[in-house]
């Protein structure tokens, strides 16, 4: 029986094999189209931030040479400095140096001459009220620290040519903002990924949005008991939620070995990852294990020391990674987060987790009770509530646990690991919750 970590390393090796074989190159996109994609090459700044020296405050600019030499011995609160005001410098205006012995009213972001030594006096340190007012004839300064110039010098954040974002960095909102601010207009990113989700079984109802070899089966089949296909849409949505550039399509196939083999061959040509649900246990009609297992040198099927999701499978089909998940919905949900999501992270170009359970986590207090584990490590889906003074976590279905409890997969945002043979955490205990 494989451990969770052993199977995790195996699934990561499939990504490595795919990356070595695929040779898919990269694509260059305008930043507006690259949001959420992953950089294939490092990016350097094209212009400085700030691009020009500017005021960090709303206030008044004076020359540094106009600061009295005996400032330290003065009490400005009782004997303020007085300066006539020569004019305004607005944000977007040309930089201007105050005349000797004068102050200029200046706005936040307004330019300051690059080579000039000026000091910005915050309006709050003067006798002038904040907000819109006519230009005063003069000001009184009640506080001044010449070491605090309140000038943001050009390039104080980054200079042209400086390293900005490394390869493997996801272009999230903050990263895109940094690229735009430094004059970068496009980015070289890893190509988009195409994921095929295949649900199997004659017991699964035909879904209108899925591509299926059972289309047009007629009214006779519609009268038979069928299970709604929740696995396909769930796995497809989980895949696409991992980031931009991941698209997932849903396929359905009956318990027919030839039909399934033909579908795998077709999907391997134009998809980067195939994920199947169902058909890998010990049943007489488990066609996924039957067909994929024929390629025994590239495929593995067997049990994991994990609940839910004991039966697992995976390998390469015609060079394309193929992950075979169990058919019960809770098992699919858990297995996807533990094995499929990290595989897709790696294929997207991101650094993946060092171990299967090395994830972002939060410490939370248990509300209610969690189920006990049996002879395998239990990965219990959970809901973390942040509305109170501390995080609180609930088991997805209370003390009861069933891998078929699909109706309990509502509002989940975490997972609690319960070691094999352990009692479930109880009311008031603190536990680590893996965040998803």
């Amino acid at each position: 029986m494989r451990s969770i970590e052993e199977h995790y390393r195996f699934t990561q090796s499939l990504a490595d094999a795919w990356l070595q074989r695929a040779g898919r190159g990269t694509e260059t996109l305008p930043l507006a189209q690259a949001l959420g994609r992953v950089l294939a090459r490092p990016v350097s700044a094209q212009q400085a931030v700030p691009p020009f020296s500017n005021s960090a405050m709303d206030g008044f600019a004076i020359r540094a040479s106009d600061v009295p030499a005996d400032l330290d011995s003065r009490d400005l609160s009782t004997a303020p400095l007085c300066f006539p005001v020569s004019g305004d410098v607005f944000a977007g205006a040309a930089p201007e140096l105050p005349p000797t012995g004068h102050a200029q009213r200046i706005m936040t972001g307004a330019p300051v001459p690059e080579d000039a030594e000026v000091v910005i006096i915050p309006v709050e340190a003067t006798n002038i009220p904040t907000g819109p007012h006519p230009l005063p004839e003069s000001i009184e300064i009640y506080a001044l620290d010449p070491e605090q110039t309140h000038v943001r010098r050009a390039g104080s954040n980054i200079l042209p040519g400086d390293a900005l974002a490394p390869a493997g960095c996801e272009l999230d909102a903050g990263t895109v903002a940094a690229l735009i601010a430094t004059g970068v207009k496009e980015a070289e990113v890893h190509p988009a990924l195409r994921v095929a989700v295949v649900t199997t079984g004659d017991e699964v109802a035909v879904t209108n949005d899925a591509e299926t070899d059972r289309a047009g089966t007629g009214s006779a089949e519609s009268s038979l008991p069928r299970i709604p296909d929740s696995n396909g849409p769930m796995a497809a949505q989980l895949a696409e939620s991992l980031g931009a550039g991941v698209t997932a399509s849903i396929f359905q196939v009956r318990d027919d070995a030839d039909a399934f083999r033909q579908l795998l061959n077709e999907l391997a040509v134009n998809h980067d990852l195939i994920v199947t649900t169902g058909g890998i246990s010990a049943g007489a009609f488990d066609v996924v294990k039957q067909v994929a297992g024929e390629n025994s040198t590239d495929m593995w099927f067997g049990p994991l020391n994990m609940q839910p999701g004991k039966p697992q499978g995976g390998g390469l089909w015609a060079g394309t990674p193929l992950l075979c998940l169990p058919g019960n919905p809770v098992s699919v949900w858990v297995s996807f987060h533990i094995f499929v999501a990290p595989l897709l992270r790696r294929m997207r170009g991101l650094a993946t987790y060092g171990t299967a359970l090395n994830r972002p986590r939060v410490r939370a207090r248990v509300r209610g009770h969690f189920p006990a584990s049996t002879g395998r490590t239990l990965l219990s889906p959970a809901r973390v509530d942040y509305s109170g003074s501390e995080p609180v976590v609930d088991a997805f279905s209370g003390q009861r646990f069933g891998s078929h409890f699909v109706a309990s997969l509502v509002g989940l945002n975490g997972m609690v690991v319960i070691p094999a043979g352990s009692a479930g955490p109880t009311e008031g205990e603190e536990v680590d919750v893996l965040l998803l």
Side-chain angles (χ1 to χ4, degrees), residues 335-353:
S335 300
F336 195 100
H337 283 292
I338 298 300
F339 303 118
V340 184
L343 174 65
L344 280 170
R345 279 181 59 90
R346 181 112 175 81
M347 294 173 71
R348 291 184 65 216
L350 292 168
T352 193
Y353 310 115

Side-chain angles (χ1 to χ4, degrees), residues 295-307:
N295 191 8
S296 58
T297 58
D298 289 329
M299 295 295 300
W300 175 89
F301 289 92
L304 259 61
N305 183 18
M306 182 174 93
Q307 180 189 6

Side-chain angles (χ1 to χ4, degrees), residues 114-136:
E114 296 296 341
D115 299 327
E117 294 296 326
V118 297
V119 177
I120 309 299
I121 313 300
V123 65
E124 294 86 353
T126 73
N127 63 322
I128 306 302
T130 59
H133 291 282
L135 182 71

Side-chain angles (χ1 to χ4, degrees), residues 114-164:
E114 296 296 341
D115 299 327
E117 294 296 326
V118 297
V119 177
I120 309 299
I121 313 300
V123 65
E124 294 86 353
T126 73
N127 63 322
I128 306 302
T130 59
H133 291 282
L135 182 71
E137 293 184 358
S138 64
I139 60 168
E140 295 178 354
I141 299 173
Y142 296 102
L144 195 164
D145 180 358
E147 299 299 319
Q148 295 290 328
T149 65
H150 301 296
V151 173
R152 301 184 289 213
R153 288 296 176 186
S156 55
N157 182 197
I158 197 168
L159 293 170
D162 285 353
L164 179 61

Side-chain angles (χ1 to χ4, degrees), residues 13 15 134 170 234 279 329 341 366 371-372 377:
S13 73
E170 188 170 23
M234 175 173 64
V366 172
T377 300

